[in-house]
Amino acid sequence: MNVNDSDWIFRMMKPLGYQATTVLEKADVILLNTCSIREKAEQKAFSFLGRLAALKKRKPGIVIGMGGCVAQQEGENVFRRVPHVDLVFGTHAIPRLPRMIERIIEKRCRIADVKMSQRIIEPEAIQLPVEAEQTPCQFVTIMRGCDNFCAYCVVPYVRGRETSRHPDDILKEIQMLVDGGVREVTLLGQNVNSYGKKEDLCSFSELLEKVNEISGLRRIRFTTSHPKDLSDELIDAFRHLDKLCHHFHLPVQSGSDRILKKMNRRYTKDQYIKKIEKLRAACPGIAITSDFIVGFPGETDDDFADTLALIEDVGFDGVFAFIYSDRPQAPARDFDSKVPLSIKKTRLQALLDFQAKITIHKNKALVGSNLAVLVEGESKKQTGAQGVENDLIQWSGRTSTNKIVNFTLKGDLNGLGESLVGNIVEVQIQKALSHSLWGTCQNLRAISPESKGEKSYAA
C-alpha cells in the first residue's frame, strides 16, 4: 500500500517540475512515507528524520515532510519530536500534497493535514502519467481502510474505515495504465474480499471478471485477503479467469485457535485449512503465501507449536513473519501476559528456519521445468548463481505463482531492441535458491500477436 502511495506522490510532483533523486543533498523536497504497523518501523522513521537536521541547517529552504500511517497517528506531535519537519500529511492527504508544498514554499509555514476523506483518488489524478518503461507492473487501489479491528492492528485507526472505489473508475485507471505499456496490475486493499459490500457495488469476483476483459492486460494479482471473507465465488474465479495469477496471499497470523480468538480473527485453524483445500482444488499448483505474528500476548509454547504444525500441514510457498509489538489504539496493547522479547526472537527465527526448508524444497522441485516469466527488468543480482554466465545481460521477472526468476538470454532479441521488459518469456529453470530461481532463455520467437501490438515470446 505504501509503495503505491509513494508512486502516486512521485506522479503528483512531476507536474510541479520536480523529479526524483536518490541523493538527499540534491533534494529540494524530502518526503518520508511511513508505516506504523510495527514499532520498529516507526522508530526507524523518526531516526531517519532526526538525521536530516544537519541537512536542514545547511539548506534552510529544503522542505521536509512525513506522510503515511505514522504521520496520521502522530499529527502535530511530529513537530514537537522533530522540529525541523515542515509538513505532516496523513494517509488521506496525498491528493492535497502539491498544494501544501507550494504553500509551504510561498509562506514558509508548517502544515499538518491528517483529515480523513471519503474519496480515495481524485478523478484528475488518474490522468497523471505513468512511466511504464520502468516496470510493466503497477498497483491499483480498489479500496481503502478496514472494518475488521484485529486486536493487534492499528490500520483501522490510521487508514480509516472500509471505502471502495467505483468499478468504472478502477477500470478507467487500468485501461490508462495498459495504454501506457503496463501488462500486470495488482489490485490493492486492506481486505479486497469485502470490496463493494458497503457501497452495494459489484462483488470482488465480479470486479475481477471486468478487469480480466481489458484488452492488452496480461496478468492480474491482488492483495490482501481476510480468510473469514474468502468466498466460494472468488475461489471459483481461479478456474475460469485466464489472466488471474495462480498465487493467493492469505494471512493467517497464528495456528492456535486460542490465539486466533484473542486476535479477533473470527476463524479457526480448521476453517482456514478448508479454504486452502478449496483453493487448491479450484487451481491445482496455486502458490499459497501467508503472514504470521509470533509472541502475541499470552502465546505459549504449545500455541507456537500449533503454528508450526499449521505451516507443515499447509506447505506454504513462502511467509512473512513478524514479532508482535504493542501499537497505539490497538486493544492488544492492554492485554496481560506479554511474551519476553528474547522468546519472541527465538520463535521468529524458528518459524523462518522451518518455512525456509519448505520453500527451498518447493523451489528445487521446479529445476528442469520451463516457466512463463513476465520480465520486469534487468536483474539486480549479476553474480552468485552457479552456471550463470555473468558476461550476459541478466533479466528478472516473476511467474504466475509469484516466483522470482533471474535468467540470462542466450541469443538475440529478434528485433525487440535492447529490452525484454513487459514481455512474457519461457525460462528453463536450472538452479533453485532460497528466495528465487535461476535459468536461461534461448532464442526468442513470437508465439502469437496480442491486441495493441503486444506479443508473447518463448524459448
Side-chain angles (χ1 to χ4, degrees):
M1 297 294 288
N2 276 21
V3 170
N4 185 49
D5 287 346
S6 295
D7 287 343
W8 276 107
I9 290 172
F10 280 122
R11 289 161 67 181
M12 295 178 74
M13 294 295 287
K14 289 194 72 173
L16 300 182
Y18 290 92
Q19 62 183 15
T21 177
T22 58
V23 183
L24 286 174
E25 288 72 16
K26 291 183 178 180
D28 299 292
V29 176
I30 297 176
L31 302 174
L32 178 63
N33 197 11
T34 62
C35 175
S36 65
I37 203 160
R38 289 183 299 280
E39 184 179 18
K40 184 176 181 181
E42 182 177 334
Q43 291 172 345
K44 290 172 67 176
F46 278 106
S47 176
F48 174 80
L49 287 176
R51 294 196 299 272
L52 296 181
L55 179 59
K56 181 73 168 181
K57 189 173 183 178
R58 293 195 304 272
K59 295 179 61 176
I62 194 172
V63 176
I64 298 176
M66 172 188 260
C69 292
V70 176
Q72 186 71 45
Q73 172 185 295
E74 297 295 319
E76 291 188 359
N77 187 48
V78 174
F79 295 143
R80 290 186 285 272
R81 295 184 63 174
V82 193
H84 53 272
V85 167
D86 304 288
L87 172 63
V88 177
F89 60 102
T91 55
H92 292 205
I94 291 176
R96 303 186 287 272
L97 185 60
R99 293 190 293 272
M100 289 189 286
I101 290 177
E102 289 181 327
R103 184 181 171 197
I104 290 171
I105 293 174
E106 179 182 352
K107 304 289 186 180
R108 302 317 306 175
C109 60
R110 281 176 165 180
I111 296 178
D113 183 351
V114 292
K115 296 189 296 291
M116 293 288 192
S117 170
Q118 289 298 312
R119 190 185 296 276
I120 299 177
I121 297 174
E122 298 294 332
E124 61 270 19
I126 296 177
Q127 304 301 324
L128 293 173
V130 176
E131 298 180 1
E133 68 273 9
Q134 294 182 359
T135 172
C137 310
Q138 288 287 337
F139 296 116
V140 174
T141 297
I142 66 169
M143 61 188 302
R144 180 181 61 196
C146 184
D147 290 349
N148 287 305
F149 290 93
C150 298
Y152 52 82
C153 190
V154 71
V155 166
Y157 309 101
V158 294
R159 288 277 182 177
R161 305 299 294 271
E162 285 182 0
T163 305
S164 298
R165 292 177 67 193
H166 195 282
D168 290 348
D169 293 336
I170 296 169
L171 296 174
K172 181 180 178 181
E173 180 181 349
I174 295 175
Q175 186 64 67
M176 181 270 295
L177 292 172
V178 171
D179 291 344
V182 169
R183 294 295 171 256
E184 174 184 298
V185 294
T186 300
L187 308 182
L188 291 179
Q190 264 76 30
N191 179 20
V192 295
N193 293 350
S194 61
Y195 169 82
K197 291 181 179 180
K198 291 175 65 174
E199 295 84 358
D200 196 26
L201 302 172
C202 65
S203 68
F204 181 54
S205 57
E206 290 170 337
L207 176 65
L208 287 174
E209 291 180 3
K210 296 176 185 292
V211 176
N212 195 72
E213 295 173 358
I214 294 178
S215 179
L217 183 67
R218 303 301 302 277
R219 287 180 173 178
I220 306 169
R221 301 184 189 274
F222 60 83
T223 194
T224 297
S225 295
H226 196 297
K228 75 175 179 61
D229 297 320
L230 175 52
S231 66
D232 290 342
E233 184 185 24
L234 177 55
I235 292 173
D236 192 58
F238 285 90
R239 298 182 193 271
H240 63 274
L241 297 184
D242 60 306
K243 297 178 183 179
L244 186 57
C245 286
H246 295 178
H247 170 231
F248 205 114
H249 185 70
L250 193 62
V252 63
Q253 308 301 359
S254 175
S256 164
D257 286 341
R258 191 179 70 86
I259 295 299
L260 287 172
K261 186 175 182 178
K262 290 187 68 175
M263 287 179 168
N264 192 35
R265 292 293 286 176
R266 287 175 279 178
Y267 55 82
T268 65
K269 178 181 70 174
D270 287 344
Q271 289 171 337
Y272 181 88
I273 290 175
K274 287 178 180 177
K275 301 272 189 181
I276 300 298
E277 291 173 347
K278 286 184 177 182
L279 281 166
R280 286 176 169 159
C283 183
I286 190 171
I288 307 292
T289 55
S290 192
D291 293 342
F292 286 90
I293 295 173
V294 299
F296 187 80
E299 183 186 66
T300 64
D301 288 342
D302 287 342
D303 293 322
F304 181 65
D306 288 340
T307 293
L308 295 183
L310 174 65
I311 292 174
E312 184 173 29
D313 289 344
V314 172
F316 294 104
D317 289 73
V319 303
F320 297 97
F322 311 98
I323 287 175
Y324 167 82
S325 60
D326 289 334
R327 305 309 302 130
Q329 304 182 71
R333 183 176 187 174
D334 298 323
F335 287 2
D336 296 329
S337 304
K338 293 297 196 315
V339 179
L341 180 60
S342 59
I343 294 178
K344 289 191 287 189
K345 288 182 176 180
T346 299
R347 287 177 183 170
L348 176 64
Q349 193 59 53
L351 188 155
L352 294 175
D353 291 343
F354 192 77
Q355 175 60 43
K357 295 177 182 178
I358 298 173
T359 300
I360 193 65
H361 176 77
K362 285 178 172 282
N363 285 352
K364 285 182 177 179
L366 297 172
V367 173
S369 64
N370 293 320
L371 301 179
V373 176
L374 175 63
V375 185
E376 299 181 20
E378 291 188 20
S379 172
K380 295 179 181 179
K381 296 183 177 181
Q382 297 292 315
T383 59
Q386 182 179 354
V388 174
E389 299 180 35
N390 294 315
D391 57 328
L392 301 175
I393 294 179
Q394 295 174 29
W395 301 93
S396 183
R398 288 181 296 164
T399 66
S400 174
T401 56
N402 209 38
K403 302 286 187 182
I404 297 173
V405 179
N406 299 292
F407 67 94
T408 53
L409 171 65
K410 293 191 174 181
D412 59 50
L413 293 174
N414 281 348
L416 285 179
E418 297 181 354
S419 179
L420 289 178
V421 173
N423 292 289
I424 294 180
V425 301
E426 192 172 85
V427 178
Q428 184 180 65
I429 304 303
Q430 297 175 327
K431 186 176 179 63
L433 302 176
S434 56
H435 300 292
S436 64
L437 303 168
W438 285 82
T440 59
C441 179
Q442 303 297 327
N443 289 329
L444 300 174
R445 60 181 175 82
I447 294 179
S448 59
E450 298 285 324
S451 60
K452 298 183 183 295
E454 182 192 1
K455 293 184 178 181
S456 179
Y457 296 85

